[in-house]
Amino acid sequence: MALIQPQNSHNFIGEDYQIALNNSIQNLLDSIQEPSFEISTFLSNFQELLKVKHDPPLETIWVYSALAFKNLKNEKDEILEQVLAVKSLFHVITSCSASCSSLKNVALVGPVVYEVCKVVGKLKEIDSGSKNGKKVVKEIKSLVDGVLGYVNVCVCDNVGYGGELIRPLVDLVGVWLGDTVSEIDEKERSLRGFFPLLSDVIVGGLSGKECDVCELAGVVTAEAFLLRMCLEFREGVSRKVLQEELRVWAVGSVTGFKNVLFFETLVKMLLEPTLPVTSLLSSEDEIIMRKVLYDVVILPEYSFLKPDRLTHQPVKQSLTIARLMVTYEATETYRKDGDHAKSISYINAFSASHIPAELIKWVKDETGMGNKSSGPNGYSPKAVLKWIYDLEDQGINILDKDMSKYRARLMINSLETDNEQPDSITNGKKSDNNVLFYFDNKGDEEMNEDIDDKNKPISDAFMAAAHSLQSVESVGKRKRKERKGSEKKHLKFRKHSINEISLSSGDMFPSFEEDNSSSEAEVENLTSDDESED
């Protein structure tokens, strides 16, 4: 399809461009379900809007790529062809943005993740052991690796809280789903269909207010992250080995992304009874993934989550409460399962972190209590949560609407004393050869740039949390690990360029005279070094 050159491009400067874009999207939404709907007419219009902007808005790129992809999709029947079409879509979307590193770029790949999820859902229709089946799975993994690599290239430490979308998110999703909605329930159903790996609470938050581009980037990252984990369950690796390797990879990925809203999305999804991955995983594997994510969000101390870096107060408070609730629930889950060592490790990690003191200070400042209250009976997650619930029972509102929804499921028994006090966290004499995680100290003022931060020893407090888990392992188990030595399989992302997993835009989509793609940047290896393994 030949690119139509824009006419009178001076008419698309400033507000005139936004008016033209809004009108074009509205005309598309009004016509998309009509029997006489012609994609080519609208495709030409959005090509023009795309061409006249050096760095087009997210809406322009999303709508153009949706129309171009739908125009192509009708010709693709085989699963492998569909995967290749999504790869071409990925290339076009990343080529349309002039920005080389921004959260807008991360949000842009949302449609790619949506289309990949649809293809992955069809894998049960093919024999994964056949030659063709193996090739399909390999291509899908390559594509998801490319998406995560692109996300890693585009991340930045400062989240930022501007850049609201020009159009409601549900309108943009409607272009991809081919429908328009008006009622609140319909909006949630549409967004749920477009974000199949997000929980109902997260989707409800997206539909109930104006969506920030940064928030959209966070949920897109979360979906791609979970999708990559789900794909690993298709391998023939034992679940015990897989659990250890996913944990190492996931911690390295979270450290690399440095995205607070992505992390908050993961934490809040863990507050749901089940993770929204049951369409891709069995119930047993969903439990394994949940346990991996518990370790990932509770045990490490990530530098991008330090209090002085969380400058946006509402997110800071919401995330802190969510982390408290998740830690308490994880502790109770392992306690009920009889795994007291893991339960204690979570209590120690939480108690030694900045979360309890920060939360107590915030509650007292917010409620005007000052020093009038003695605070909770200890720093364990149960003690702090029980203290907050007691204050709420006295009529002091602390939890927001979303967090209040979880209270019924996290009710605490009325014990007079809290026997969850952490073990000693000051013993620094224990060997640190087998610590559970190394910490991301990137950005610390005291860090010497000549020191590899991945190999810096963790704080004594968190080391104790790791050792409290490992202390119950038998000598025989340690010897078995030693015998395995270097034979242990590692789950890694290989380095690759975006171009390696993408087709040229000219192969499937209309080509552009200028390619502003940032795809030349190589994807960083998101996997932790061998020293970081469990």
Side-chain angles (χ1 to χ4, degrees):
M1 184 183 296
L3 178 64
I4 298 177
Q5 295 298 325
Q7 302 295 323
N8 300 321
S9 58
H10 64 276
N11 292 328
F12 292 102
I13 297 176
E15 293 184 3
D16 290 339
Y17 183 93
Q18 184 168 328
I19 293 172
L21 176 59
N22 263 314
N23 290 340
S24 297
I25 294 176
Q26 190 58 54
N27 290 338
L28 174 61
L29 292 173
D30 292 340
S31 307
I32 201 167
Q33 292 182 318
E34 296 294 330
S36 59
F37 175 69
E38 288 288 342
I39 287 181
S40 58
T41 302
F42 289 95
L43 186 58
S44 299
N45 186 25
F46 279 94
Q47 279 180 327
E48 184 175 353
L49 288 168
L50 194 68
K51 192 65 179 179
V52 298
K53 275 282 189 179
H54 173 65
D55 189 11
L58 179 145
E59 291 86 346
T60 303
I61 299 174
W62 262 38
V63 175
Y64 165 75
S65 58
L67 294 172
F69 187 72
K70 286 177 180 294
N71 201 35
L72 168 72
K73 184 180 176 183
N74 295 332
E75 305 171 9
K76 306 299 175 185
D77 297 324
E78 297 294 329
I79 292 182
L80 183 57
E81 288 182 328
Q82 294 173 21
V83 177
L84 296 178
V86 180
K87 283 192 173 186
S88 182
L89 169 67
F90 179 39
H91 178 86
V92 169
I93 287 179
T94 56
S95 299
C96 287
S97 178
S99 302
C100 61
S101 178
S102 72
L103 289 180
K104 168 194 163 187
N105 290 30
V106 177
L108 277 172
V109 298
V112 178
V113 178
Y114 163 66
E115 292 294 340
V116 175
C117 287
K118 287 171 60 178
V119 175
V120 171
K122 298 177 182 178
L123 287 179
K124 56 186 176 184
E125 301 174 7
I126 64 173
D127 180 7
S128 59
S130 65
K131 184 177 180 179
N132 184 61
K134 289 180 180 179
K135 185 174 183 180
V136 170
V137 174
K138 181 180 178 180
E139 291 288 345
I140 291 175
K141 282 189 173 183
S142 173
L143 175 56
V144 177
D145 281 356
V147 171
L148 285 169
Y150 182 74
V151 169
N152 192 55
V153 169
C154 295
V155 296
C156 57
D157 286 307
N158 189 1
V159 175
Y161 291 89
E164 290 186 351
L165 298 173
I166 298 173
R167 298 283 304 197
L169 179 59
V170 70
D171 286 352
L172 302 179
V173 167
V175 175
W176 279 93
L177 299 181
D179 59 9
T180 56
V181 296
S182 57
E183 300 296 329
I184 297 297
D185 291 343
E186 291 179 340
K187 289 181 180 180
E188 287 201 21
R189 281 195 294 271
S190 292
L191 291 174
R192 190 73 180 86
F194 190 78
F195 297 107
L197 299 184
L198 296 183
S199 67
D200 290 339
V201 170
I202 300 297
V203 170
L206 293 174
S207 64
K209 58 182 175 58
E210 293 296 324
C211 183
D212 190 285
V213 171
C214 300
E215 184 177 6
L216 181 56
V219 298
V220 168
T221 303
E223 277 212 307
F225 176 86
L226 292 173
L227 179 59
R228 185 62 179 85
M229 293 183 72
C230 288
L231 289 172
E232 284 304 312
F233 282 88
R234 297 184 61 84
E235 299 292 331
V237 183
S238 74
R239 291 304 183 248
K240 184 176 181 180
V241 172
L242 178 62
Q243 186 172 346
E244 294 174 352
E245 294 178 343
L246 280 177
R247 184 167 49 196
V248 173
W249 172 80
V251 171
S253 298
V254 172
T255 300
F257 294 150
K258 300 187 289 292
N259 189 317
V260 175
L261 296 177
F262 153 68
F263 188 83
E264 183 181 28
T265 299
L266 287 184
V267 172
K268 288 187 175 180
M269 286 172 64
L270 285 170
L271 288 171
E272 298 293 326
T274 58
L275 291 171
V277 296
T278 50
S279 61
L280 302 179
L281 299 181
S282 66
S283 57
E284 292 80 9
D285 285 343
E286 184 273 336
I287 293 174
I288 292 175
M289 181 180 284
R290 175 178 288 270
K291 289 181 176 180
V292 169
L293 292 177
Y294 277 152
D295 283 350
V296 171
V297 303
I298 295 172
L299 290 177
E301 184 178 41
Y302 301 104
S303 63
F304 70 93
L305 294 176
K306 289 184 177 180
D308 58 337
R309 298 195 182 186
L310 294 178
T311 56
H312 193 65
Q313 199 64 17
V315 169
K316 183 177 180 179
Q317 295 163 0
S318 175
L319 176 57
T320 304
I321 292 287
R323 293 178 76 184
L324 165 64
M325 289 184 166
V326 163
T327 306
Y328 168 73
E329 184 166 45
T331 299
E332 290 300 296
T333 297
Y334 277 106
R335 190 205 302 277
K336 291 175 182 176
D337 290 344
D339 192 345
H340 297 289
K342 178 60 78 72
S343 180
I344 291 172
S345 74
Y346 286 169
I347 295 171
N348 283 346
F350 178 87
S351 303
S353 73
H354 62 82
I355 298 176
E358 178 187 345
L359 191 54
I360 293 169
K361 181 179 184 303
W362 169 69
V363 170
K364 288 186 175 183
D365 290 346
E366 192 74 11
T367 59
M369 295 167 55
N371 296 323
K372 297 177 182 179
S373 172
S374 58
N377 182 27
Y379 268 20
S380 72
K382 180 177 180 179
V384 177
L385 193 59
K386 189 173 187 298
W387 175 65
I388 290 177
Y389 282 1
D390 287 343
L391 292 176
E392 287 244 321
D393 289 339
Q394 297 171 26
I396 302 174
N397 294 326
I398 298 171
L399 304 178
D400 61 22
K401 183 179 179 181
D402 286 341
M403 293 298 101
S404 294
K405 294 178 182 177
Y406 301 116
R407 176 171 178 175
R409 219 163 46 79
L410 295 176
M411 289 303 295
I412 300 176
N413 56 43
S414 56
L415 293 176
E416 291 298 327
T417 59
D418 180 12
N419 297 318
E420 274 191 323
Q421 298 309 313
D423 293 343
S424 171
I425 58 175
T426 59
N427 184 359
K429 297 180 181 181
K430 295 182 181 180
S431 170
D432 61 352
N433 292 332
N434 294 312
V435 293
L436 189 59
F437 289 121
Y438 284 92
F439 288 112
D440 167 30
N441 293 316
K442 219 180 304 183
D444 288 355
E445 293 180 0
E446 69 273 18
M447 185 183 76
N448 187 321
E449 292 183 355
D450 295 329
I451 299 176
D452 182 358
D453 66 292
K454 290 182 181 178
N455 294 322
K456 280 188 79 176
I458 63 176
S459 66
D460 290 344
F462 281 89
M463 190 185 300
H467 281 304
S468 68
L469 171 61
Q470 295 172 334
S471 63
V472 298
E473 295 181 347
S474 66
V475 174
K477 180 177 178 181
R478 290 197 299 269
K479 288 183 178 180
R480 287 196 298 274
K481 284 187 175 182
E482 291 171 0
R483 286 198 298 268
K484 288 181 183 179
S486 61
E487 297 177 0
K488 184 173 180 180
K489 175 180 174 290
H490 299 291
L491 174 66
K492 292 188 176 182
F493 276 146
R494 67 180 182 87
K495 281 189 176 182
H496 48 212
S497 169
I498 299 299
N499 284 335
E500 290 182 20
I501 58 87
S502 302
L503 300 178
S504 169
S505 59
D507 291 338
M508 292 188 177
F509 289 99
S511 61
F512 293 95
E513 292 180 359
E514 294 182 21
D515 184 0
N516 295 315
S517 173
S518 59
S519 62
E520 293 296 328
E522 282 197 330
V523 176
E524 295 180 7
N525 189 331
L526 300 184
T527 313
S528 299
D529 289 342
D530 290 344
E531 289 83 0
S532 299
E533 66 179 307
D534 184 0

